PDB file of all heavy atoms in Angstrom:
ATOM      1  N   SER A 452       6.719   6.359  13.794  1.00  0.00           N
ATOM      2  CA  SER A 452       5.414   6.084  14.477  1.00  0.00           C
ATOM      3  C   SER A 452       5.579   6.018  15.979  1.00  0.00           C
ATOM      4  O   SER A 452       4.743   6.572  16.729  1.00  0.00           O
ATOM      5  CB  SER A 452       4.834   4.781  13.944  1.00  0.00           C
ATOM      6  OG  SER A 452       4.682   4.851  12.543  1.00  0.00           O
ATOM      7  N   VAL A 453       6.593   5.323  16.532  1.00  0.00           N
ATOM      8  CA  VAL A 453       6.761   5.266  17.954  1.00  0.00           C
ATOM      9  C   VAL A 453       7.015   6.604  18.561  1.00  0.00           C
ATOM     10  O   VAL A 453       6.513   6.916  19.625  1.00  0.00           O
ATOM     11  CB  VAL A 453       8.000   4.326  18.227  1.00  0.00           C
ATOM     12  CG1 VAL A 453       8.369   4.439  19.731  1.00  0.00           C
ATOM     13  CG2 VAL A 453       7.608   2.864  17.899  1.00  0.00           C
ATOM     14  N   LEU A 454       7.783   7.427  17.905  1.00  0.00           N
ATOM     15  CA  LEU A 454       8.091   8.855  18.417  1.00  0.00           C
ATOM     16  C   LEU A 454       6.793   9.656  18.433  1.00  0.00           C
ATOM     17  O   LEU A 454       6.614  10.404  19.409  1.00  0.00           O
ATOM     18  CB  LEU A 454       9.141   9.457  17.494  1.00  0.00           C
ATOM     19  CG  LEU A 454      10.582   8.909  17.609  1.00  0.00           C
ATOM     20  CD1 LEU A 454      11.535   9.606  16.622  1.00  0.00           C
ATOM     21  CD2 LEU A 454      11.103   9.058  19.008  1.00  0.00           C
ATOM     22  N   PHE A 455       5.991   9.548  17.430  1.00  0.00           N
ATOM     23  CA  PHE A 455       4.717  10.335  17.445  1.00  0.00           C
ATOM     24  C   PHE A 455       3.765   9.843  18.466  1.00  0.00           C
ATOM     25  O   PHE A 455       2.972  10.547  19.082  1.00  0.00           O
ATOM     26  CB  PHE A 455       4.138  10.413  16.050  1.00  0.00           C
ATOM     27  CG  PHE A 455       4.725  11.497  15.231  1.00  0.00           C
ATOM     28  CD1 PHE A 455       5.825  11.337  14.434  1.00  0.00           C
ATOM     29  CD2 PHE A 455       4.162  12.784  15.250  1.00  0.00           C
ATOM     30  CE1 PHE A 455       6.346  12.428  13.705  1.00  0.00           C
ATOM     31  CE2 PHE A 455       4.636  13.822  14.500  1.00  0.00           C
ATOM     32  CZ  PHE A 455       5.754  13.665  13.724  1.00  0.00           C
ATOM     33  N   LEU A 456       3.736   8.478  18.715  1.00  0.00           N
ATOM     34  CA  LEU A 456       2.852   7.969  19.775  1.00  0.00           C
ATOM     35  C   LEU A 456       3.351   8.443  21.097  1.00  0.00           C
ATOM     36  O   LEU A 456       2.537   8.675  22.002  1.00  0.00           O
ATOM     37  CB  LEU A 456       2.859   6.411  19.688  1.00  0.00           C
ATOM     38  CG  LEU A 456       2.101   5.837  18.497  1.00  0.00           C
ATOM     39  CD1 LEU A 456       2.378   4.298  18.441  1.00  0.00           C
ATOM     40  CD2 LEU A 456       0.611   6.097  18.627  1.00  0.00           C
ATOM     41  N   PHE A 457       4.635   8.569  21.285  1.00  0.00           N
ATOM     42  CA  PHE A 457       5.155   9.120  22.545  1.00  0.00           C
ATOM     43  C   PHE A 457       4.842  10.609  22.662  1.00  0.00           C
ATOM     44  O   PHE A 457       4.571  11.058  23.714  1.00  0.00           O
ATOM     45  CB  PHE A 457       6.726   8.907  22.585  1.00  0.00           C
ATOM     46  CG  PHE A 457       7.261   9.376  23.888  1.00  0.00           C
ATOM     47  CD1 PHE A 457       7.110   8.651  25.069  1.00  0.00           C
ATOM     48  CD2 PHE A 457       8.039  10.566  23.972  1.00  0.00           C
ATOM     49  CE1 PHE A 457       7.614   9.091  26.285  1.00  0.00           C
ATOM     50  CE2 PHE A 457       8.567  11.005  25.201  1.00  0.00           C
ATOM     51  CZ  PHE A 457       8.333  10.274  26.342  1.00  0.00           C
ATOM     52  N   ALA A 458       4.836  11.308  21.504  1.00  0.00           N
ATOM     53  CA  ALA A 458       4.424  12.756  21.544  1.00  0.00           C
ATOM     54  C   ALA A 458       2.984  12.886  21.968  1.00  0.00           C
ATOM     55  O   ALA A 458       2.700  13.837  22.652  1.00  0.00           O
ATOM     56  CB  ALA A 458       4.651  13.277  20.167  1.00  0.00           C
ATOM     57  N   ILE A 459       2.194  11.886  21.710  1.00  0.00           N
ATOM     58  CA  ILE A 459       0.802  11.927  22.107  1.00  0.00           C
ATOM     59  C   ILE A 459       0.717  11.795  23.626  1.00  0.00           C
ATOM     60  O   ILE A 459      -0.065  12.527  24.318  1.00  0.00           O
ATOM     61  CB  ILE A 459      -0.049  10.875  21.419  1.00  0.00           C
ATOM     62  CG1 ILE A 459      -0.257  11.195  19.956  1.00  0.00           C
ATOM     63  CG2 ILE A 459      -1.372  10.601  22.197  1.00  0.00           C
ATOM     64  CD1 ILE A 459      -0.882  10.097  19.172  1.00  0.00           C
ATOM     65  N   LYS A 460       1.506  10.988  24.218  1.00  0.00           N
ATOM     66  CA  LYS A 460       1.637  10.845  25.671  1.00  0.00           C
ATOM     67  C   LYS A 460       2.095  12.173  26.325  1.00  0.00           C
ATOM     68  O   LYS A 460       1.459  12.592  27.311  1.00  0.00           O
ATOM     69  CB  LYS A 460       2.632   9.758  26.074  1.00  0.00           C
ATOM     70  CG  LYS A 460       2.271   8.343  25.536  1.00  0.00           C
ATOM     71  CD  LYS A 460       3.411   7.369  25.887  1.00  0.00           C
ATOM     72  CE  LYS A 460       3.214   6.016  25.331  1.00  0.00           C
ATOM     73  NZ  LYS A 460       2.193   5.274  26.007  1.00  0.00           N
ATOM     74  N   ILE A 461       3.033  12.813  25.733  1.00  0.00           N
ATOM     75  CA  ILE A 461       3.499  14.141  26.268  1.00  0.00           C
ATOM     76  C   ILE A 461       2.342  15.152  26.223  1.00  0.00           C
ATOM     77  O   ILE A 461       2.123  15.936  27.080  1.00  0.00           O
ATOM     78  CB  ILE A 461       4.756  14.615  25.500  1.00  0.00           C
ATOM     79  CG1 ILE A 461       5.921  13.637  25.671  1.00  0.00           C
ATOM     80  CG2 ILE A 461       5.132  16.022  25.905  1.00  0.00           C
ATOM     81  CD1 ILE A 461       6.441  13.561  27.138  1.00  0.00           C
ATOM     82  N   GLN A 462       1.669  15.149  24.984  1.00  0.00           N
ATOM     83  CA  GLN A 462       0.583  16.066  24.798  1.00  0.00           C
ATOM     84  C   GLN A 462      -0.497  15.943  25.850  1.00  0.00           C
ATOM     85  O   GLN A 462      -1.027  16.936  26.416  1.00  0.00           O
ATOM     86  CB  GLN A 462       0.024  15.913  23.421  1.00  0.00           C
ATOM     87  CG  GLN A 462      -1.286  16.755  23.096  1.00  0.00           C
ATOM     88  CD  GLN A 462      -0.991  18.245  23.054  1.00  0.00           C
ATOM     89  OE1 GLN A 462      -0.369  18.737  22.182  1.00  0.00           O
ATOM     90  NE2 GLN A 462      -1.424  18.953  24.080  1.00  0.00           N
ATOM     91  N   LEU A 463      -0.852  14.678  26.101  1.00  0.00           N
ATOM     92  CA  LEU A 463      -1.977  14.437  27.057  1.00  0.00           C
ATOM     93  C   LEU A 463      -1.433  14.778  28.477  1.00  0.00           C
ATOM     94  O   LEU A 463      -2.290  15.284  29.279  1.00  0.00           O
ATOM     95  CB  LEU A 463      -2.361  12.938  27.026  1.00  0.00           C
ATOM     96  CG  LEU A 463      -3.746  12.616  27.653  1.00  0.00           C
ATOM     97  CD1 LEU A 463      -4.841  13.318  26.855  1.00  0.00           C
ATOM     98  CD2 LEU A 463      -3.963  11.145  27.721  1.00  0.00           C
ATOM     99  N   SER A 464      -0.265  14.542  28.744  1.00  0.00           N
ATOM    100  CA  SER A 464       0.327  14.923  30.052  1.00  0.00           C
ATOM    101  C   SER A 464       0.233  16.437  30.277  1.00  0.00           C
ATOM    102  O   SER A 464      -0.189  16.897  31.331  1.00  0.00           O
ATOM    103  CB  SER A 464       1.752  14.439  30.176  1.00  0.00           C
ATOM    104  OG  SER A 464       2.332  14.822  31.419  1.00  0.00           O
ATOM    105  N   ILE A 465       0.532  17.197  29.210  1.00  0.00           N
ATOM    106  CA  ILE A 465       0.489  18.660  29.316  1.00  0.00           C
ATOM    107  C   ILE A 465      -0.925  19.124  29.517  1.00  0.00           C
ATOM    108  O   ILE A 465      -1.208  20.018  30.304  1.00  0.00           O
ATOM    109  CB  ILE A 465       1.073  19.245  28.001  1.00  0.00           C
ATOM    110  CG1 ILE A 465       2.594  19.021  27.918  1.00  0.00           C
ATOM    111  CG2 ILE A 465       0.708  20.773  27.901  1.00  0.00           C
ATOM    112  CD1 ILE A 465       3.158  19.434  26.609  1.00  0.00           C
ATOM    113  N   ILE A 466      -1.904  18.426  28.812  1.00  0.00           N
ATOM    114  CA  ILE A 466      -3.342  18.775  28.986  1.00  0.00           C
ATOM    115  C   ILE A 466      -3.770  18.603  30.437  1.00  0.00           C
ATOM    116  O   ILE A 466      -4.412  19.588  30.967  1.00  0.00           O
ATOM    117  CB  ILE A 466      -4.192  17.982  28.104  1.00  0.00           C
ATOM    118  CG1 ILE A 466      -3.961  18.286  26.580  1.00  0.00           C
ATOM    119  CG2 ILE A 466      -5.657  18.035  28.407  1.00  0.00           C
ATOM    120  CD1 ILE A 466      -4.655  17.406  25.565  1.00  0.00           C
ATOM    121  N   TYR A 467      -3.371  17.584  31.058  1.00  0.00           N
ATOM    122  CA  TYR A 467      -3.856  17.343  32.399  1.00  0.00           C
ATOM    123  C   TYR A 467      -3.100  18.235  33.417  1.00  0.00           C
ATOM    124  O   TYR A 467      -3.711  18.761  34.318  1.00  0.00           O
ATOM    125  CB  TYR A 467      -3.660  15.848  32.868  1.00  0.00           C
ATOM    126  CG  TYR A 467      -4.746  14.953  32.300  1.00  0.00           C
ATOM    127  CD1 TYR A 467      -4.545  14.030  31.320  1.00  0.00           C
ATOM    128  CD2 TYR A 467      -6.039  15.085  32.780  1.00  0.00           C
ATOM    129  CE1 TYR A 467      -5.589  13.258  30.812  1.00  0.00           C
ATOM    130  CE2 TYR A 467      -7.080  14.264  32.262  1.00  0.00           C
ATOM    131  CZ  TYR A 467      -6.847  13.344  31.317  1.00  0.00           C
ATOM    132  OH  TYR A 467      -7.845  12.585  30.852  1.00  0.00           O
ATOM    133  N   PHE A 468      -1.781  18.444  33.234  1.00  0.00           N
ATOM    134  CA  PHE A 468      -1.143  19.356  34.037  1.00  0.00           C
ATOM    135  C   PHE A 468      -1.622  20.744  33.963  1.00  0.00           C
ATOM    136  O   PHE A 468      -1.774  21.443  34.976  1.00  0.00           O
ATOM    137  CB  PHE A 468       0.441  19.382  33.753  1.00  0.00           C
ATOM    138  CG  PHE A 468       1.233  18.246  34.451  1.00  0.00           C
ATOM    139  CD1 PHE A 468       2.019  17.426  33.704  1.00  0.00           C
ATOM    140  CD2 PHE A 468       1.133  18.102  35.810  1.00  0.00           C
ATOM    141  CE1 PHE A 468       2.727  16.410  34.394  1.00  0.00           C
ATOM    142  CE2 PHE A 468       1.869  17.128  36.506  1.00  0.00           C
ATOM    143  CZ  PHE A 468       2.637  16.277  35.713  1.00  0.00           C
ATOM    144  N   HIS A 469      -1.889  21.147  32.754  1.00  0.00           N
ATOM    145  CA  HIS A 469      -2.457  22.557  32.545  1.00  0.00           C
ATOM    146  C   HIS A 469      -3.794  22.686  33.207  1.00  0.00           C
ATOM    147  O   HIS A 469      -4.106  23.726  33.866  1.00  0.00           O
ATOM    148  CB  HIS A 469      -2.501  22.824  30.983  1.00  0.00           C
ATOM    149  CG  HIS A 469      -3.101  24.206  30.737  1.00  0.00           C
ATOM    150  ND1 HIS A 469      -4.443  24.445  30.591  1.00  0.00           N
ATOM    151  CD2 HIS A 469      -2.495  25.393  30.604  1.00  0.00           C
ATOM    152  CE1 HIS A 469      -4.654  25.748  30.364  1.00  0.00           C
ATOM    153  NE2 HIS A 469      -3.468  26.318  30.351  1.00  0.00           N
ATOM    154  N   ALA A 470      -4.659  21.640  33.071  1.00  0.00           N
ATOM    155  CA  ALA A 470      -5.993  21.701  33.667  1.00  0.00           C
ATOM    156  C   ALA A 470      -5.893  21.809  35.218  1.00  0.00           C
ATOM    157  O   ALA A 470      -6.655  22.536  35.825  1.00  0.00           O
ATOM    158  CB  ALA A 470      -6.780  20.469  33.307  1.00  0.00           C
ATOM    159  N   ALA A 471      -4.972  21.059  35.780  1.00  0.00           N
ATOM    160  CA  ALA A 471      -4.819  21.088  37.261  1.00  0.00           C
ATOM    161  C   ALA A 471      -4.272  22.434  37.732  1.00  0.00           C
ATOM    162  O   ALA A 471      -4.765  22.982  38.711  1.00  0.00           O
ATOM    163  CB  ALA A 471      -3.938  19.937  37.704  1.00  0.00           C
ATOM    164  N   ILE A 472      -3.217  22.912  37.093  1.00  0.00           N
ATOM    165  CA  ILE A 472      -2.608  24.151  37.515  1.00  0.00           C
ATOM    166  C   ILE A 472      -3.501  25.369  37.353  1.00  0.00           C
ATOM    167  O   ILE A 472      -3.548  26.277  38.176  1.00  0.00           O
ATOM    168  CB  ILE A 472      -1.243  24.365  36.746  1.00  0.00           C
ATOM    169  CG1 ILE A 472      -0.247  23.267  37.201  1.00  0.00           C
ATOM    170  CG2 ILE A 472      -0.628  25.784  37.075  1.00  0.00           C
ATOM    171  CD1 ILE A 472       0.958  23.164  36.306  1.00  0.00           C
ATOM    172  N   ALA A 473      -4.289  25.319  36.255  1.00  0.00           N
ATOM    173  CA  ALA A 473      -5.248  26.420  35.998  1.00  0.00           C
ATOM    174  C   ALA A 473      -6.293  26.499  37.085  1.00  0.00           C
ATOM    175  O   ALA A 473      -6.764  27.629  37.376  1.00  0.00           O
ATOM    176  CB  ALA A 473      -5.839  26.256  34.618  1.00  0.00           C
TER     177      ALA A 473
END
Side-chain angles (χ1 to χ4, degrees):
S452 298
V453 168
L454 290 176
F455 273 90
L456 288 172
F457 183 73
I459 288 174
K460 297 175 187 285
I461 298 295
Q462 174 65 72
L463 199 66
S464 179
I465 291 171
I466 289 172
Y467 281 110
F468 273 128
H469 180 270
I472 293 168

